[in-house]
Amino acid sequence: MPTASTTTSTTQTAKTASAGASGNGGSRPVRKTRPGRRKPEFTARRGFLISLFMAPAAIFVAVFTYYPMIAGSQMAFRHWNLTDLTDTSWVGLQNFRDVFADPAWGTVLSNTAIWVFGSIVPQLVIGFALALWLRRRFRFRGLYQALIFFPWAISGFLIGILFRWMFNSEFGVVNDLLQKVGLIDEPVAWLADPKTAMFAVVVANIWYGVTFFTIMILAALQSIPEELYEASALDGAGKVRTLFQITIPYIRVTLALTVLLRVIWIFNFPDLIFGMTGGGPNNETHIVTTWMIKITQQGDYGRASALGLIVVATLLVFAVFFLLATREKREVKP
Amino acid sequence: MRRRTAALALGTAATMVLTGCSSMSGSTADGTVTLNMVESLTNPARTDLIKGLIADFQKQNPKIKVNLISPPTEQADQKIQQMLQSGSGVDTLEVRDTTVGPWSNNGWIYDMKKDLTGWKGWEAMTENAVKASQDAEGKTYFVPYGFYGLSVFYRTDLIKEAGFSKPPATWDDLLEQASAIHDPGKRKYGYAFRGGANAQGNATAIIEAYVADEIDAADGFKLKSGKTIFSAPEALDAMQTYLKLFKEASPKSSVSWGYPEMVEGFSNGSTAFLLQDPEVIATVSESKSIKKDQWSTAPLVAGPSGKTVQPLATAGWGVAKGSKHKKEAVKLVEFLSEGEASTDFTKTNSLVPILKSAAEDPFYKTGPWSSYVTMTENPDTYLNVSQPRGVAWWAEWQQKADADIQKMVLGKTTPKELLAGWDTYWTEKRQ
C-alpha cells in the first residue's frame, strides 16, 4: 500500500526526468565549431542565393496548394456547376443555405460524430495496449511489429473494398465465421441494413487506424528512461499505478498531439466509407467529406466548396480549442 | 566551381517547375503534327489495344504522331474536364453519353458534322450507331465506338431443375423463375438485384419495358403524350413487380449490390439470373464455379406487351474545340470508327458493335453474344430508344434515383411515392 509521499515522489521523478528530456530543464548547450573553421557569415548575397534555392518549392506550393485553395473558397459563394459554366454569378451564402437545407444534412452530421469519436476512442485504447505489449522483448517481436504496422501501408480505398467483401452478407467471411462459431443463425446483411452499416464502417476504420496510434505511442514509450521504472518499482508502485503516474504523464504530449492529428484525419477520411458503402444504403453512412465528394460528382462545385469551407472552419475551431484545453497538460513544469 | 554547381542546380529546378508535366502537342518544322488523345474508361488491356490501333494509324499517316494519355478511370472524366477547361493540350478524346451534355454546353467539344459529311464510314454503321452520333440538335460531338446493352445472363441447369424449359421472355417470367429457384437457406439466390451504384439503370429499364407501346423514341423518359414515363399507370405495375423480384427472389444484401457483387453473385454459382452488359461474358467465361454448359444469355426481358426497350449506353471518340489540328484529329476519329480498328476494339472490349458487318461475324453469331445480335436485328421488339443520358443533371439524377430505390426496397417509401417523386423531378427539370 503506497503512501501519499511515494506518489508525490514518483510523479516528481517523472516530471523532472521528462523536463530534462524535453530540453526545458537545463541551460542550452553551447554549439562548438570545429577548430580552424569559421562559422559562415550570413551576407545579403548568401540570403539571396538561399531564397533562390527555395524559390522553386515556394512557387510550386503557391501554385498547386494555396492558389487552388483560395480559388476554391471563392467558388463557394458563386453558382458554379460544371454542367453549365456559362453562368458563374455571385450568389452570396446561397450554397451554404442549400447545404443546411438538405434533408440528409442531419444524418450526415450525426454520422460524422459517430465516425470520428466511435473510431478514435477504440483506436487509442487498442493502439496503446498494443504499444505497451510491443515494448516488451519477446521472440519474433520484429515480425509482430511489421504485421501490426502493415495496414498503414495500404490505401484506405482498398481497405474499404476488402472490408466490403468481408462484410458481404452472402459471400463474406465475417458472416461465415460468426455462423460457424454459432453467434448468428442466419447471415446478417451488414452493409445493406442502415442499422448495421455505420457500425461496419467504424469497425473497419478502427482496424485501419489502430496502427498509427501504436507507431506513435511505441516511439514515445521508447523514450522513457528505464531508471524511472526502477525508481517507481523501488517506491513500491504497482503496474496500474506506474501506467497512470509514469507512463501516461511522460508521453502525454505525444498522446495529445496524436489524438488531435487523428481527429483531423478521420474527419477528413472519406476513402474507406467510399470503398465500402459509397455512403449507402439510402445515404445512411455518409459523413461530411463523402457527402462533399457526392456533390462534386454531381458537378455542383459551388455547393461542394461551401462544404469544404465548413470542414476547414470546423477543424480549425476544434484544433484551437483542443490545443487550448490541453495546453496545461502539454506544458512541462520543472 | 561551387557557383557553377549552384547555377546548374537552380537551372534544373527552374526547368522542372516550368515544364511541369505537360505533353506538348503541335507541329514540327517538317510538318509532322502531334495529336494528344485522352481516354476515359481506362484499363491496362484496353490501353494496350488503343496503342496498337494508334500504331496502325501512324503507319497510314506518317505525318501524324499520336500521344495517348490514359488517366485512371475514377478520375478520368474530371481530368479531361480540367484539360478542356484550360483550352489546350487535348485534340482527340473519349466522350461518353453522360459527359457529352455538359461538355458541349460549356463549348469544350467540337461539332464534327461538316467534317464527316460524305465520310464513307456512315454507310457501314448500324442504325443505332448513326443515331447515337447525333444529339437532339443534330450535332455530332462524338462517333460511338460501341454500346453497352443489357441482356439476361441465366443458368441453364438451374432453370431446368426448377422445371422450366426456356429462359424468361418477360419480367413476369423472370419473377416466376427466379422465385422458384430462390432458396437462401441453401445459399441459392434467384436474381442479382442491383440496389447499389447505378441502381436506377435497371429500375428504369423495367419501367420502359412496361410503357414500350407509348414511349417517345427520341427520349426514353418521355411518353408520346409528353408526360414522363413515371406518370404512367404501367410504371406502377413495373415497380411493384420489381419490388417483388427483390423481396421474393434476391439476396437480402443486394440492397447495396453494385456491378462487382452482381457479377460475383452470378459467376460464383450462387445466383441464377443477372441483367448485365456484354463485357460480363468474358468474366463469366473465366469462372471456375460454373462451366460453359451451365449458363447462357437471352435477350432482354419484355414488358406485358411483348416489347422492350434497349437501354443502350454508349461512348465514342470526339474532338476538343481548343484543338489546333482539328483536321488530323477528325481523321483519327474516322480511322478508329471504321473497318478493322472498330471491329478489334469492340471484340476485345466486349462491346455491342457499331458495324453492320458484325452480324455476319461468327464471333457474334454464336454462344452468349447471339442475344445481343438478336436484339440489334429486331428493332420492332427491342426498341431503339434514346436515353436522356446527355442532360446536364444526369449525375444528380443517378444519385437521387439510386438512393430512392434503396429507400423503396428498405420499406421506407412505396413504389407509388417513388414514382411520384421521379415524375415531379423530371417534369420540373424539363421546364
Side-chain angles (χ1 to χ4, degrees):
Chain A
M1 181 69 198
T3 58
S5 67
T6 57
T7 318
T8 339
S9 74
T10 310
T11 324
Q12 274 302 0
T13 325
K15 278 187 178 170
T16 320
S18 73
S22 62
N24 291 355
S27 60
R28 261 181 65 189
V30 181
R31 215 176 119 218
K32 286 185 183 142
T33 48
R34 269 190 286 165
R37 198 173 156 169
R38 275 185 314 117
K39 193 173 163 220
E41 233 177 288
F42 186 82
T43 59
R45 220 176 110 244
R46 265 182 204 287
F48 176 68
L49 196 65
I50 290 169
S51 320
L52 269 184
F53 272 110
M54 281 167 60
I59 292 168
F60 201 85
V61 171
V63 171
F64 292 101
T65 305
Y66 292 110
Y67 171 70
M69 263 169 68
I70 293 159
S73 28
Q74 60 102 27
M75 243 185 240
F77 303 96
R78 289 178 180 278
H79 172 272
W80 196 290
N81 202 316
L82 270 195
T83 54
D84 181 14
L85 289 175
T86 49
D87 167 30
T88 53
S89 53
W90 191 264
V91 291
L93 295 175
Q94 189 54 46
N95 286 324
F96 292 85
R97 278 195 285 271
D98 288 347
V99 167
F100 299 139
D102 199 304
W105 181 239
T107 313
V108 169
L109 277 186
S110 61
N111 279 348
T112 308
I114 294 169
W115 171 247
V116 173
F117 297 107
S119 303
I120 199 128
V121 175
Q123 277 181 11
L124 174 62
V125 173
I126 301 167
F128 203 124
L130 277 175
L132 286 173
W133 176 65
L134 283 173
R135 194 170 163 240
R136 287 197 242 140
R137 299 198 178 284
F138 54 87
R139 274 177 81 159
F140 305 121
R141 184 171 79 155
L143 177 71
Y144 277 104
Q145 280 186 352
L147 284 175
I148 283 170
F149 297 160
F150 179 66
W152 201 240
I154 306 174
S155 99
F157 187 72
L158 194 64
I159 299 277
I161 293 172
L162 287 174
F163 271 88
R164 173 173 163 181
W165 283 110
M166 280 162 55
F167 276 108
N168 181 293
S169 165
E170 284 75 25
F171 328 121
V173 69
V174 173
N175 275 345
D176 197 48
L177 288 174
L178 291 174
Q179 274 177 295
K180 278 178 179 154
V181 178
L183 286 172
I184 53 171
D185 296 330
E186 55 173 50
V188 177
W190 295 102
L191 303 180
D193 185 342
K195 291 189 201 75
T196 51
M198 199 65 214
F199 171 78
V201 293
V202 168
V203 165
N205 195 27
I206 292 170
W207 178 86
Y208 184 50
V210 156
T211 304
F212 179 78
F213 274 108
T214 310
I215 296 171
M216 298 296 282
I217 294 169
L218 185 60
L221 287 177
Q222 283 165 343
S223 70
I224 304 178
E226 207 52 46
E227 298 85 24
L228 282 182
Y229 288 112
E230 285 164 13
S232 73
L234 282 176
D235 284 344
K239 273 187 179 171
V240 176
R241 194 136 176 207
T242 309
L243 174 69
F244 282 99
Q245 294 198 312
I246 304 250
T247 311
I248 293 178
Y250 200 96
I251 63 166
R252 64 187 170 214
V253 178
T254 309
L255 283 180
L257 289 175
T258 312
V259 168
L260 170 70
L261 280 176
R262 282 304 291 160
V263 166
I264 292 173
W265 269 341
I266 293 174
F267 196 102
N268 270 326
F269 181 56
D271 323 29
L272 201 146
I273 293 182
F274 223 80
M276 247 175 116
T277 63
N282 181 28
N283 297 334
E284 296 281 354
T285 53
H286 269 298
I287 58 168
V288 176
T289 39
T290 55
W291 191 243
M292 184 165 74
I293 294 177
K294 181 184 154 116
I295 291 171
T296 309
Q297 287 178 331
Q298 291 175 4
D300 195 343
Y301 278 34
R303 201 147 49 106
S305 301
L307 261 169
L309 282 185
I310 293 168
V311 169
V312 171
T314 312
L315 289 175
L316 209 64
V317 169
F318 167 79
V320 167
F321 271 99
F322 184 87
L323 289 171
L324 285 176
T326 56
R327 190 171 54 178
E328 277 289 290
K329 293 195 177 67
R330 283 180 295 111
E331 275 180 2
V332 183
K333 299 184 192 71
Chain B
M1 182 68 214
R2 237 189 322 162
R3 202 181 304 168
R4 197 187 304 168
T5 316
L8 194 71
L10 265 181
T12 315
T15 316
M16 277 165 72
V17 169
L18 290 174
T19 51
C21 50
S22 73
S23 41
M24 307 299 283
S25 79
S27 41
T28 54
D30 68 346
T32 304
V33 168
T34 304
L35 296 176
N36 278 334
M37 172 176 171
V38 199
E39 57 171 328
S40 155
L41 297 165
T42 313
N43 72 54
R46 191 178 106 134
T47 302
D48 288 344
L49 171 72
I50 297 175
K51 279 183 178 160
L53 299 177
I54 286 174
D56 295 344
F57 174 76
Q58 290 180 152
K59 255 184 228 151
Q60 286 182 23
N61 302 280
K63 288 271 186 212
I64 307 176
K65 289 261 171 299
V66 183
N67 177 20
L68 179 69
I69 302 163
S70 310
T73 309
E74 301 78 41
Q75 309 131 22
D77 283 337
Q78 268 182 338
K79 280 233 160 47
I80 298 175
Q81 230 147 298
Q82 287 158 356
M83 289 168 137
L84 291 169
Q85 225 172 333
S86 76
S88 66
V90 193
D91 299 292
T92 306
L93 71 155
E94 184 168 353
V95 182
R96 298 158 62 189
D97 53 8
T98 48
T99 53
V100 66
W103 293 356
S104 59
N105 218 355
N106 294 331
W108 291 339
I109 41 181
Y110 175 64
D111 174 14
M112 300 182 282
K113 185 106 189 156
K114 274 190 191 145
D115 307 63
L116 293 173
T117 309
W119 173 51
K120 62 181 190 309
W122 292 125
E123 289 155 30
M125 274 191 201
T126 59
E127 190 191 335
N128 277 354
V130 175
K131 233 168 133 174
S133 69
Q134 296 178 2
D135 74 347
E137 293 162 18
K139 290 179 172 162
T140 300
Y141 290 112
F142 70 94
V143 179
Y145 55 55
F147 293 96
Y148 301 88
L150 291 177
S151 77
V152 179
F153 286 70
Y154 70 99
R155 287 283 300 278
T156 44
D157 53 344
L158 293 183
I159 64 167
K160 223 177 255 163
E161 272 170 40
F164 300 100
S165 57
K166 55 181 197 296
T170 65
W171 280 93
D172 282 334
D173 292 350
L174 177 63
L175 174 60
E176 186 192 0
Q177 295 194 12
S179 315
I181 293 166
H182 190 62
D183 188 354
K186 290 188 182 155
R187 296 208 171 182
K188 260 168 63 180
Y189 309 103
Y191 176 71
F193 188 88
R194 186 166 202 157
N198 206 11
Q200 64 83 32
N202 290 4
T204 49
I206 185 172
I207 295 172
E208 288 179 328
Y210 272 64
V211 299
D213 280 336
E214 310 155 61
I215 206 162
D216 176 353
D219 183 342
F221 283 10
K222 254 190 199 163
L223 300 170
K224 285 170 188 158
S225 66
K227 286 181 165 175
T228 74
I229 54 168
F230 312 114
S231 64
E234 293 87 351
L236 187 58
D237 298 342
M239 269 297 116
Q240 279 161 342
T241 306
Y242 200 52
L243 188 55
K244 267 192 197 154
L245 191 60
F246 171 76
K247 283 183 172 164
E248 295 168 17
S250 307
K252 248 198 219 166
S253 74
S254 57
V255 171
S256 55
W257 278 19
Y259 177 87
E261 287 91 353
M262 295 166 76
V263 175
E264 171 65 19
F266 186 79
S267 48
N268 71 12
S270 65
T271 314
F273 294 101
L274 164 78
L275 248 62
Q276 259 303 346
D277 296 339
E279 60 188 23
V280 175
I281 293 173
T283 316
V284 181
S285 301
E286 286 165 17
S287 162
K288 298 213 171 19
S289 310
I290 48 174
K291 294 184 193 69
K292 214 174 173 174
D293 58 347
Q294 287 179 288
W295 69 279
S296 186
T297 69
L300 184 59
V301 277
S305 67
K307 290 179 189 169
T308 189
V309 167
Q310 281 195 73
L312 290 176
T314 184
W317 305 112
V319 171
K321 208 167 194 167
S323 167
K324 292 185 176 62
H325 306 286
K326 291 197 181 74
K327 201 175 90 199
E328 291 82 359
V330 172
K331 207 171 192 173
L332 177 57
V333 173
E334 288 176 351
F335 172 84
L336 292 169
S337 312
E338 60 190 2
E340 247 173 76
S342 167
T343 314
D344 271 2
F345 191 78
T346 49
K347 270 187 190 176
T348 318
N349 264 310
S350 280
L351 291 158
V352 177
I354 55 168
L355 301 184
K356 288 176 192 161
S357 57
E360 305 309 314
D361 191 324
F363 175 87
Y364 290 111
K365 264 189 147 150
T366 50
W369 269 103
S370 56
S371 55
Y372 290 96
V373 176
T374 306
M375 290 195 279
T376 310
E377 286 179 340
N378 295 293
D380 295 339
T381 311
Y382 306 98
L383 311 179
N384 286 321
V385 173
S386 303
Q387 303 294 328
R389 295 164 59 88
V391 293
W393 60 87
W394 185 257
E396 180 190 82
W397 151 253
Q398 270 186 311
Q399 292 184 342
K400 172 199 157 49
D402 287 5
D404 287 346
I405 291 160
Q406 288 187 327
K407 258 190 206 158
M408 180 180 82
V409 295
L410 290 168
K412 293 184 190 298
T413 186
T414 63
K416 201 173 179 170
E417 288 166 350
L418 171 129
L419 289 165
W422 289 6
D423 178 39
T424 310
Y425 180 89
W426 279 90
T427 311
E428 282 176 1
K429 286 282 183 191
R430 297 243 194 243
Q431 274 165 2

